Amino acid sequence: MNASTSTNVNTSRSVRATVRKAAFAQIKAELLRTLRNRRFVMFSVIMPIAFYFIFTSTMDADSEVGGVNWSAYYLMSMTSYGVAGAGITSLSQKLAKERTQGWTQLLRITPLPSWAFIVSKVASQALINLCTVVLMFVVAAFAKGVDLSAAVWIESGLWIWLGSFAFMALGSLVGTIRNTDVVQVVSMIVYMGMSVLGGLWMPVETMSDTMRNIAHLMPTYWLGHGAWNMLGGGAFDWSGVLVLAVYVVAFTLISSFIIRKQEAV
Amino acid sequence: MSEAAIQLQQVTKEFKGKKAVDNLSFTVERGTVVALLGPNGAGKTTTISMILGLLHPTTGTVKLLGGAPQDRQVRDRIGAMLQDVSVIEGLTVAETINLFRSYYSQPLPLEQLLQISGLDNERNKMASAMSGGQRRRLGFALAAAGDPEVLFLDEPTVGMDVTSRQLFWDTVRAMAGKGRTIVLTTHYLEEADQVADRIIVINDGKLAADGTPSQIKATTTGRTISFTAGNAVTTESLRNISGIVDIEWNGRRVKLYSNDTDQLIAELVRAELEMKDIEIMSGGLEEAFRSLVSTAKV
């Protein structure tokens, strides 16, 4: 650059230093947006809590499922249900809207690297999921007297939180659909379908053999299963880790393949 | 010597075998205000998209500030207002602008951005709740957020009322005065005439003309001959006469566009057409543009 140009442009623009600042600002903005989204608060926070109260009150509090206390069992189901919904519905709709409305295109001409954009989206959703898990656990412990050892609280909470990444990956896949109305419908069908079939609403123990086999194909089942298993003092669910990890990789690969294909011009 | 703001070398872009941009070359020096002018579908937006790195040219090279448009160092120094109006949900105007400011190494202050976009009173309004014109002004604030050296404005005033349009161009002119390079596309010729130091006319993806507004007006004579035509005169009979670029009827009054009206009037007389109240006029930019675009098609 020439010093004699009349522009007041500084020659030492440091792009690298701004990436971290940009990523934090992006995370902050995503957090604000998610918390202001009434649909998200309704489906991922209020509904799971409401369902939890309804289904633990209508059933005998001391009843057990597979040797596990019902209010503890159903807490894991509904917490899983909440974080799965956050990934499938709110993330997919956010991504689809931003893409169809040209926002993503506008970001492509800014210095923000695309990885920083994706990482901050996932990080902010993960942070919110963590809060959802903690909120559900606190509500259940105080209002329903769910009593677990500290280790089980932490392990099951972490399990559900880590498992929620599979549903963010699924959300990003659903979000590649070009029509936002279709995304809304598809994400609700996938979410509700997977929740019911995977045994988050009604325990798989009450299902017929056929339904139980279907449940075993659902990532929702594996999300819940790892946590239910911990309640019963079972061994760590390595097969669940494997299944959820495969889902993360598969959904991420397919959605990034689709996006690359759509943008190849 | 400082690098040029924009350099296009024999750039062609094909979409499914159809050439949207055809062997286009031009250089934009820093500190100039350039208008890309052309009818709809001429290839203006495709050209801008390639300069911004949103599209890859099929052949040829594009350089922005001496580098590749995809380079983050380059992107830190540019800003663009795209044709598609875009906002994200769940953020206020000020929050959206601040988010964009965070992307750049040397952002302009929020207050200044609110002021130049005329959005001071809307700062706490949800961006998604704004009108079309307000959204465009937000788009302008976002384009200017990084204090860009090169600012792209793709059809910026569409949807703006007369007052906002005036305010907008005043702001752009002020930015241009500070040595910024500004590239705008428009099909409002008066705007190009008022704002730009240079006009590049694109038609059918090709360069049709390039020069200052007054050069464009001068080189393309863009003159017209008007007369009240007798009943025997039809569009078909006029087609046989050479030198006519375009024909416009208004009742029995006909207006002929030509690059050489001296030659044409002789032709018309020779053809013994029935003509009354003949007027020969030198055109404004509108006529110039029209004759440019029409001749380029032949």
Side-chain angles (χ1 to χ4, degrees):
Chain A
M1 213 176 296
N2 192 330
S4 70
T5 47
S6 58
T7 56
N8 58 354
V9 172
N10 193 326
T11 49
S12 63
R13 293 199 184 222
S14 54
V15 178
R16 206 163 287 252
T18 55
V19 173
R20 198 187 307 160
K21 180 186 70 161
F24 276 115
Q26 188 76 31
I27 290 175
K28 200 179 121 198
E30 296 294 348
L31 286 174
L32 264 177
R33 294 178 62 203
T34 308
L35 295 175
R36 282 177 185 163
N37 180 351
R38 285 201 204 105
R39 285 182 66 93
F40 164 79
V41 176
M42 182 69 209
F43 280 99
S44 303
V45 182
I46 296 176
M47 259 175 67
I49 293 180
F51 278 151
Y52 179 66
F53 276 99
I54 293 167
F55 287 101
T56 50
S57 304
T58 51
M59 293 193 38
D60 186 1
D62 294 328
S63 60
E64 292 191 343
V65 175
V68 173
N69 173 275
W70 170 243
S71 13
Y73 181 98
Y74 206 57
L75 172 64
M76 300 306 157
S77 307
M78 280 299 111
T79 309
S80 303
Y81 173 71
V83 297
I88 301 172
T89 64
S90 82
L91 195 60
S92 67
Q93 287 171 27
K94 203 149 72 166
L95 289 170
K97 260 192 188 152
E98 286 172 17
R99 268 155 40 79
T100 51
Q101 292 175 352
W103 185 257
T104 316
Q105 165 129 310
L106 191 60
L107 288 186
R108 280 175 62 202
I109 54 175
T110 70
L112 183 75
S114 53
W115 63 260
F117 174 70
I118 294 159
V119 165
S120 50
K121 271 225 158 34
V122 171
S124 60
Q125 190 64 57
L127 204 59
I128 285 173
N129 286 348
L130 191 62
C131 295
T132 308
V133 172
V134 172
L135 179 72
M136 290 288 294
F137 281 14
V138 168
V139 167
F142 286 96
K144 283 284 164 185
V146 174
D147 186 19
L148 303 172
S149 72
V152 173
W153 276 125
I154 291 167
E155 284 166 17
S156 58
L158 277 180
W159 171 271
I160 293 173
W161 180 65
L162 286 174
S164 73
F165 283 84
F167 298 90
M168 290 190 237
L170 178 56
S172 74
L173 177 59
V174 176
T176 59
I177 300 173
R178 282 184 186 273
N179 183 322
T180 48
D181 294 331
V182 176
V183 168
Q184 194 155 328
V185 174
V186 169
S187 63
M188 281 318 275
I189 293 173
V190 169
Y191 175 37
M192 292 303 168
M194 280 191 172
S195 301
V196 173
L197 294 175
L200 295 183
W201 282 20
M202 279 297 138
V204 280
E205 282 79 359
T206 63
M207 290 179 176
S208 68
D209 284 348
T210 321
M211 291 306 288
R212 203 177 296 189
N213 285 334
I214 295 174
H216 288 178
L217 297 172
M218 297 291 142
T220 40
Y221 168 78
W222 294 100
L223 182 65
H225 183 257
W228 298 322
N229 199 36
M230 285 171 188
L231 296 177
F236 188 75
D237 186 12
W238 285 108
S239 53
V241 175
L242 184 71
V243 173
L244 290 173
V246 168
Y247 270 116
V248 172
V249 173
F251 292 146
T252 310
L253 283 180
I254 299 171
S255 62
S256 52
F257 173 76
I258 293 174
I259 288 171
R260 203 159 301 160
K261 226 173 161 191
Q262 286 172 343
E263 282 176 0
V265 266
Chain B
M1 206 187 87
S2 141
E3 80 262 18
I6 297 164
Q7 244 182 323
L8 264 75
Q9 272 175 336
Q10 297 167 344
V11 170
T12 296
K13 179 67 186 176
E14 286 181 19
F15 292 113
K16 291 171 184 151
K18 201 180 163 288
K19 283 181 181 168
V21 169
D22 190 358
N23 201 24
L24 195 60
S25 300
F26 62 82
T27 302
V28 175
E29 296 305 330
R30 285 163 162 252
T32 46
V33 181
V34 181
L36 292 183
L37 203 63
N40 285 328
K44 288 171 294 180
T45 297
T46 308
T47 306
I48 293 269
S49 300
M50 285 191 288
I51 300 172
L52 289 172
L54 292 172
L55 291 175
H56 289 284
T58 311
T59 57
T61 54
V62 175
K63 275 191 175 174
L64 181 55
L65 289 165
Q70 287 87 1
D71 186 346
R72 288 219 327 269
Q73 300 279 357
V74 170
R75 292 197 166 165
D76 192 45
R77 296 155 64 194
I78 63 161
M81 189 173 163
L82 302 177
Q83 229 179 82
D84 291 326
V85 183
S86 171
V87 295
I88 46 169
E89 288 175 9
L91 291 183
T92 65
V93 169
E95 285 163 355
T96 309
I97 295 176
N98 271 332
L99 178 61
F100 254 65
R101 291 180 63 245
S102 77
Y103 300 156
Y104 296 92
S105 64
Q106 286 168 24
L108 288 176
L110 173 66
E111 297 304 324
Q112 192 183 340
L113 291 167
L114 286 169
Q115 191 228 318
I116 60 171
S117 57
L119 287 170
D120 245 330
N121 296 325
E122 282 81 20
R123 59 186 299 157
N124 293 320
K125 207 170 167 182
M126 281 291 162
S128 49
M130 293 198 303
S131 72
Q134 288 173 329
R135 285 177 182 217
R136 290 212 72 84
R137 284 191 270 147
L138 176 59
F140 177 64
L142 299 182
D147 193 12
E149 291 167 46
V150 188
L151 180 65
F152 294 85
L153 308 166
D154 197 1
E155 304 277 354
T157 54
V158 173
M160 282 189 197
D161 57 40
V162 181
T163 346
S164 329
R165 192 169 286 184
Q166 204 52 53
L167 177 81
F168 180 79
W169 288 124
D170 287 347
T171 312
V172 170
R173 234 175 268 128
M175 291 186 82
K178 287 179 191 149
R180 301 286 186 280
T181 308
I182 294 170
V183 180
L184 58 106
T185 70
T186 178
H187 46 237
Y188 294 113
L189 302 159
E190 295 143 38
E191 289 190 343
D193 193 13
Q194 279 173 28
V195 183
D197 330 309
R198 178 178 170 197
I199 296 179
I200 295 174
V201 183
I202 297 178
N203 191 47
D204 278 341
K206 295 191 190 77
L207 192 83
D210 185 353
T212 64
S214 47
Q215 276 172 347
I216 296 275
K217 278 188 272 193
T219 52
T220 63
T221 47
R223 286 162 177 265
T224 59
I225 298 177
S226 305
F227 55 86
T228 306
N231 288 329
V233 181
T234 61
T235 304
E236 279 67 41
S237 64
L238 289 169
R239 284 252 164 78
N240 297 326
I241 295 165
S242 61
I244 298 176
V245 169
D246 204 0
I247 304 168
E248 201 175 274
W249 286 90
N250 187 4
R252 287 313 300 167
R253 192 82 189 156
V254 62
K255 194 176 191 181
L256 304 178
Y257 291 83
S258 175
N259 293 326
D260 190 347
T261 43
D262 299 337
Q263 177 73 33
L264 181 60
I265 191 73
E267 291 277 343
L268 290 170
V269 171
R270 207 170 303 142
E272 294 181 352
L273 291 176
E274 198 187 332
M275 302 182 285
K276 271 192 280 185
D277 304 327
I278 301 170
E279 275 180 294
I280 301 180
M281 291 199 305
S282 103
L285 195 61
E286 187 84 41
E287 282 77 14
F289 175 61
R290 198 153 161 171
S291 83
L292 270 174
V293 166
S294 308
T295 40
K297 263 182 194 155
V298 173

